[in-house]
């Protein structure tokens, strides 16, 4: 016999419910801010990776290898504990007044995710026929302008499904931010558990929320593939 | 307008352009023909440096392409290029395909660019397709849009690289008609094509190239009546009556 009293009420109402919801809010905030920044950074890195100037290309290559091949947790610790020693004092002071844990988590998640996004965008660009670049260059666009107006808009449309998957990964990865004290969903579930000893309920709730977010995101990919991609493809 | 002086180009060991000397004057229509793999596409692609040359001198609109300091991007804006595979931008509607470069490069106001684009679409007979995406058009229609796109930059030279080779036979005429209209308006044109009807009626000169060498350069009447070179004779026989 199970010798455990399930108490779902404890997490569906009252103080602990509020904690969990605050955690959900922080997780969403952390993920959305990071994915936007990671996308922009990923675009830049992808273009650098395809540059005709070798030092720029090598820098991007090194960045990609370095970021993708080190554990995210180490990167989070690096930015949280390590950056104090590296960053100038005034930046540290400014970050502390803001919310240093959150900032460090955003920086780490952004950099980590940007590497994967850059590679997704790059393979998107490679799937665009070479002739598109030729057509753009023939009209008098520079390499960067051709990328901006002709190649990347097409590549990004193709890349959106893998990008959404990166967002999914990022949302799940954001749970690691609890290790530096960001009060996101996992952190709050842990808090609820410490106060109530209702670990089963608390982490079931967290699991359901993560799963729910994933399913919603996956559904968006499906809709995008059916509705949007079908119309822009068919070259 | 365009002057080749002893131009050479190699792809690895393959000598694709061998001592090309050619002069295209303003307002002239020159047709380049030759068997496949003869270097005719490479020849036309060197004019806007889609293919850089290895040796010799190439002067286009007063700019020296063999000089590294020449601003190629600026020169390309003055040269329209029409591709075999059209290469329209699939993510943009027809109208935006045409207005993109004038707005971004010529800094035209959107309204002005759109009026100009509509005038060009009228000219190629596709005004009603302004809001279509390229994938919704037939090959012939796409190619006419591609010509309109090139003309929107008000180019001094128009280059055509086998503009009808990818088209179904019933669509070739509509594209050639647009090109003929353009030639009569005084545009400087270099056209790589197998359409010998177009060559004989529209062009001022025909250049026959094989294995990277210009074997013959003549007025169309001369070229069709009495080609001098044996290879040219064979080529003409094949393109004029491919069954035999």
């Amino acid at each position: 016999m199970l010798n455990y009293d399930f108490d779902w009420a404890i997490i569906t109402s009252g103080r602990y419910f509020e904690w969990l919801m605050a955690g959900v809010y922080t997780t969403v905030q952390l993920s959305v801010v990071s994915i936007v920044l990671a996308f922009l950074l990923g675009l830049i890195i992808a273009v650098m990776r395809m540059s005709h100037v070798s030092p720029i290309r090598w820098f991007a290559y090194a960045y990609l290898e370095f970021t993708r091949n080190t554990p995210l947790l180490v990167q989070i610790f690096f930015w949280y504990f390590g950056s104090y020693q590296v960053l100038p004092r005034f930046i540290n002071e400014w970050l502390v007044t803001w919310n240093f844990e959150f900032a460090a988590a955003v920086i780490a998640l952004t950099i980590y995710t940007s590497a994967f996004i850059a590679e997704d965008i790059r393979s998107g660009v490679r799937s665009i026929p070479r002739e598109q670049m030729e057509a753009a260059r023939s009209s008098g666009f520079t390499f960067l302008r051709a990328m901006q107006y002709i190649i990347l808009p097409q590549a990004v449309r193709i890349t959106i499904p893998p990008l959404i998957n990166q967002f999914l990964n990022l949302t799940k990865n954001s749970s690691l931010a609890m290790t530096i004290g960001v009060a996101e969903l996992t952190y709050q579930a842990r808090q609820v558990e410490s106060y109530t000893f209702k670990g089963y309920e608390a982490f079931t709730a967290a699991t359901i929320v993560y799963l729910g977010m994933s399913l919603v995101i996956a559904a968006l990919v499906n809709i995008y593939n059916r509705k949007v991609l079908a119309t822009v493809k068919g070259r | 307008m365009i002057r080749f002086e002893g131009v050479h180009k190699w792809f690895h060991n393959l000598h694709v352009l061998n001592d090309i000397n050619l002069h295209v004057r303003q307002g002239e229509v020159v047709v380049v023909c030759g068997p496949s793999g003869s270097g005719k596409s490479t020849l036309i692609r060197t004019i806007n440096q889609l293919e850089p040359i290895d040796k010799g001198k190439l002067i286009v609109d007063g700019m020296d392409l063999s000089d590294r300091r020449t601003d190629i991007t600026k020169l390309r804006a003055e040269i329209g290029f029409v591709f075999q595979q059209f290469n329209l931008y699939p993510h943009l509607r027809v109208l935006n395909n045409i207005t993109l470069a004038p707005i971004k490069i010529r800094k035209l106001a959107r309204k002005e660019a759109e009026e100009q684009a509509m005038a060009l679409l009228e000219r190629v007979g596709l005004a009603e397709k302004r809001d279509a995406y390229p994938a919704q058009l037939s090959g012939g229609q796409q190619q006419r849009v591609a010509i309109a796109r090139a003309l929107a930059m008000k180019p001094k030279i128009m280059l055509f690289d086998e503009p009808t080779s990818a088209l179904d036979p019933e669509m070739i005429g509509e594209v050639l008609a647009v090109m003929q209209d353009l030639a009569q308006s005084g545009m400087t044109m270099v056209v790589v094509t197998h359409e010998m009807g177009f060559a004989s009626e529209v062009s001022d000169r025909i250049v026959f190239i094989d294995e990277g060498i210009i074997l013959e350069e003549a007025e169309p009447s001369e070229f069709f009546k009495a080609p001098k070179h044996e290879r040219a004779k064979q080529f003409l026989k094949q393109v004029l009556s491919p069954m035999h």
Side-chain angles (χ1 to χ4, degrees), chain A residues 130-143 145 149-151 153-154 157 231-235, chain B residues 45 48 50-51 73 76-77 79-81 83 86-92 100-101 104-105 133 135 149 153:
Chain A
R130 190 173 54 88
E131 289 79 8
Q132 287 288 310
M133 181 54 101
E134 282 190 349
R137 297 304 298 268
S138 296
S139 301
F141 285 103
T142 60
F143 174 78
R145 293 287 172 228
Y149 297 122
I150 291 128
I151 308 299
Q154 294 181 56
R157 278 174 173 82
T231 58
V232 286
K233 267 191 179 167
R235 216 182 307 272
Chain B
R45 286 162 63 91
N48 73 347
L50 283 178
E51 302 288 354
T73 301
R76 281 176 177 152
I79 304 175
F81 200 104
F83 298 86
F86 336 127
N87 299 343
L88 294 176
Y89 309 134
H91 62 302
L92 298 178
L100 184 67
K104 300 298 181 192
I105 296 169
Y133 282 99
R149 177 177 69 177
M153 290 294 280

Side-chain angles (χ1 to χ4, degrees), chain A residues 25-205:
Chain A
Y25 180 68
T26 305
T27 290
V28 171
Q29 216 181 11
L30 187 59
S31 308
V32 171
V33 171
S34 303
I35 195 73
V36 171
L37 295 177
F39 175 69
L40 296 175
L41 187 58
L43 264 183
I44 293 169
I45 298 293
V47 172
M48 289 172 74
R49 183 76 180 82
M50 291 177 287
S51 166
H52 296 301
V53 186
S54 349
I56 295 180
R57 203 166 56 238
W58 293 335
F59 172 82
Y61 181 72
Y63 175 94
L64 289 172
E65 291 305 313
F66 190 76
T67 347
R68 287 187 305 167
N69 295 318
T70 47
L72 175 58
L73 190 56
V74 173
Q75 292 186 30
I76 289 175
F77 285 164
F78 173 82
W79 290 107
Y80 184 62
F81 298 112
S83 68
Y84 257 122
Q85 278 116 44
V86 185
L87 290 175
R89 175 171 246 234
F90 73 96
I91 292 184
N92 277 327
E93 278 167 4
W94 178 72
L95 283 173
V96 169
T97 60
W98 194 49
N99 180 343
F100 187 58
E101 291 79 22
F102 190 81
V106 166
I107 293 171
L109 286 168
T110 296
I111 289 177
Y112 183 76
T113 310
S114 73
F116 293 92
I117 289 181
E119 288 297 77
D120 285 340
I121 291 175
R122 194 163 69 98
S123 60
V125 167
R126 278 204 297 212
S127 73
I128 306 297
R130 190 173 54 88
E131 289 79 8
Q132 287 288 310
M133 181 54 101
E134 282 190 349
R137 297 304 298 268
S138 296
S139 301
F141 285 103
T142 60
F143 174 78
L144 283 180
R145 293 287 172 228
M147 275 285 171
Q148 181 184 354
Y149 297 122
I150 291 128
I151 308 299
L152 287 178
Q154 294 181 56
V156 167
R157 278 174 173 82
I158 295 174
T159 314
I160 283 198
L163 278 182
I164 297 178
N165 281 326
Q166 293 303 345
F167 180 55
L168 205 86
N169 288 334
L170 190 146
T171 307
K172 292 184 286 183
N173 285 338
S174 72
S175 61
L176 288 175
M178 75 166 288
T179 57
I180 56 169
V182 178
E184 46 70 66
L185 179 57
T186 310
Y187 179 95
Q188 296 289 27
R190 181 93 172 79
Q191 287 288 95
V192 172
E193 192 268 338
S194 327
Y195 275 70
T196 63
F197 300 106
K198 293 291 179 191
Y200 186 85
E201 288 86 341
F203 284 104
T204 301

